[in-house]
């Protein structure tokens, strides 16, 4: 599955005023995580890729093996580091770490919070759900935009004229893509186009983003209920957004 959109400046001229090198920054979501208890693990340590997640990481590394990748960087969380490792190895690069790529903070971290678990019916949770536009249950969307745009800019500078791989997490990736494509930041989590091991690709001309693309190199390995746009299945979405 692939998708691409162009980004134009206010005058309607794509990338006008920027005649610099073309740099491509692929922002990858990590692979499947071993999570037998089905909790929202968020920023908790100790959550590693499952065997299937490692296969996803290897698949994407193979997919990118002939690309002009000169920089690989990941969130400090284990699942992101383990996803990035085979890509860095395939290109003979050291794996860098960037704290700005970490998962969004969430008050429900460490709890089950998914389709059919009754979390929305618990009075103790209501105070955290009053403002979905911010959102009130976790890190503000605007803060995620700021740190992710900064991390993308750094990756672009490190790989200028070439390609960079950035491994992060579903919500921050979707939020920064929404910002770049000028969509509202608040959204229905079930409609995020950011499947496990997917690539959201930002193409820069100089310092300006001129297009955004989306691909799923490991789509055939992703369980059907976790594909972008799939209908939620009771008992199977408790780690949603991780």
């Amino acid at each position: 599955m692939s998708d691409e959109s162009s980004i134009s400046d206010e005058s309607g001229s794509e990338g006008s005023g920027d005649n610099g090198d073309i740099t491509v920054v692929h922002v990858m979501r990590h692979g499947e995580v071993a999570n037998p208890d089905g909790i929202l693990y968020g920023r908790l340590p100790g959550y590693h890729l499952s065997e299937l997640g490692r296969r996803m990481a290897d698949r994407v590394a193979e997919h990118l093996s002939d690309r002009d990748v000169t920089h690989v960087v990941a969130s400090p969380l284990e699942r992101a580091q383990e996803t990035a490792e085979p890509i860095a190895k395939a290109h003979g690069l050291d794996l860098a770490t960037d704290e700005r790529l970490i998962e969004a903070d969430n008050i429900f971290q460490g709890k089950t919070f998914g389709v059919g678990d009754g979390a929305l019916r618990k009075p103790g949770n209501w105070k955290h759900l009053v403002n979905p536009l911010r959102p009130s249950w976790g890190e503000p969307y605007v803060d995620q935009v700021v740190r992710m745009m900064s991390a993308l800019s750094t990756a672009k500078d490190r790989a200028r004229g070439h390609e960079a791989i950035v491994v992060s997490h579903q919500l921050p990736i979707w939020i920064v893509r929404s910002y770049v494509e000028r969509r509202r930041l608040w959204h229905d989590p079930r409609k995020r186009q950011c499947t496990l091991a997917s690539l959201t690709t930002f193409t820069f001309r100089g310092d300006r983003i001129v297009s955004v693309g989306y691909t799923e190199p490991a789509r055939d390995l992703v369980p059907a209920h976790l594909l972008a746009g799939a209908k939620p299945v009771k008992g199977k979405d408790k780690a949603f957004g991780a």
Side-chain angles (χ1 to χ4, degrees), residues 131-144 185-186:
N131 185 2
L133 307 185
R134 185 179 185 269
S136 53
W137 55 80
E139 181 184 10
Y141 293 139
V142 171
D143 292 356
Q144 294 178 55
L185 301 183
W186 60 274

Side-chain angles (χ1 to χ4, degrees), residues 16-91:
S16 65
D18 248 327
N19 297 314
D21 293 331
I22 296 296
T23 306
V24 178
V25 179
H26 304 279
V27 186
M28 180 181 178
R29 184 183 173 194
H30 61 79
E32 185 191 61
V33 175
N35 182 21
D37 297 324
I39 71 167
L40 184 67
Y41 35 79
R43 295 179 176 181
L44 292 173
Y47 282 87
H48 299 267
L49 292 183
S50 65
E51 180 180 348
L52 178 59
R54 292 183 182 279
R55 287 172 58 200
M56 292 177 180
D58 289 340
R59 170 70 63 79
V60 178
E62 180 181 0
H63 174 77
L64 296 169
S65 62
D66 62 350
R67 303 301 294 255
D68 183 24
V69 175
T70 60
H71 180 62
V72 182
V73 60
S75 154
L77 296 175
E78 293 98 331
R79 58 191 184 271
Q81 293 279 314
E82 292 164 0
T83 298
E85 283 169 0
I87 300 173
K89 182 178 180 181
H91 292 276

Side-chain angles (χ1 to χ4, degrees), residues 6-222:
S6 296
I7 307 299
S8 300
D9 64 12
E10 293 181 357
S11 67
S13 175
E14 182 182 298
S16 65
D18 248 327
N19 297 314
D21 293 331
I22 296 296
T23 306
V24 178
V25 179
H26 304 279
V27 186
M28 180 181 178
R29 184 183 173 194
H30 61 79
E32 185 191 61
V33 175
N35 182 21
D37 297 324
I39 71 167
L40 184 67
Y41 35 79
R43 295 179 176 181
L44 292 173
Y47 282 87
H48 299 267
L49 292 183
S50 65
E51 180 180 348
L52 178 59
R54 292 183 182 279
R55 287 172 58 200
M56 292 177 180
D58 289 340
R59 170 70 63 79
V60 178
E62 180 181 0
H63 174 77
L64 296 169
S65 62
D66 62 350
R67 303 301 294 255
D68 183 24
V69 175
T70 60
H71 180 62
V72 182
V73 60
S75 154
L77 296 175
E78 293 98 331
R79 58 191 184 271
Q81 293 279 314
E82 292 164 0
T83 298
E85 283 169 0
I87 300 173
K89 182 178 180 181
H91 292 276
L93 299 170
D94 292 331
L95 173 58
T97 300
D98 191 332
E99 296 282 347
R100 295 170 294 185
L101 298 172
I102 200 167
E103 173 65 290
D105 195 20
N106 193 310
I107 195 69
F108 297 109
Q109 175 178 289
K111 303 177 182 179
T112 58
F113 192 86
V115 176
D117 66 6
L120 296 178
R121 295 193 296 271
K122 297 175 183 177
N125 290 337
W126 294 349
K127 63 184 178 182
H128 303 301
L129 303 172
V130 295
N131 185 2
L133 307 185
R134 185 179 185 269
S136 53
W137 55 80
E139 181 184 10
Y141 293 139
V142 171
D143 292 356
Q144 294 178 55
V145 168
V146 170
R147 64 177 172 87
M148 289 294 289
M149 286 297 292
S150 179
L152 264 61
S153 180
T154 297
K156 173 259 300 174
D157 290 341
R158 297 284 174 82
R160 191 173 288 275
H162 304 278
E163 300 185 34
I165 309 299
V166 173
V167 182
S168 186
H169 307 267
Q170 188 192 61
L171 180 55
I173 296 171
W174 181 247
I175 289 299
V176 75
R177 177 180 172 182
S178 296
Y179 171 77
V180 170
E181 294 184 325
R182 300 172 185 169
R183 290 192 301 273
R184 66 191 185 199
L185 301 183
W186 60 274
H187 61 283
D188 181 344
R190 296 168 297 182
K191 296 182 179 180
R192 295 173 189 160
Q193 189 184 42
C194 191
T195 296
L196 290 166
S198 61
L199 297 172
T200 299
T201 300
F202 298 86
T203 300
F204 290 80
R205 179 178 293 125
D207 294 327
R208 183 191 299 274
I209 296 174
V210 294
S211 69
V212 179
Y214 176 80
T215 55
E216 297 175 353
R219 181 181 176 85
D220 62 305
L221 299 178
V222 179

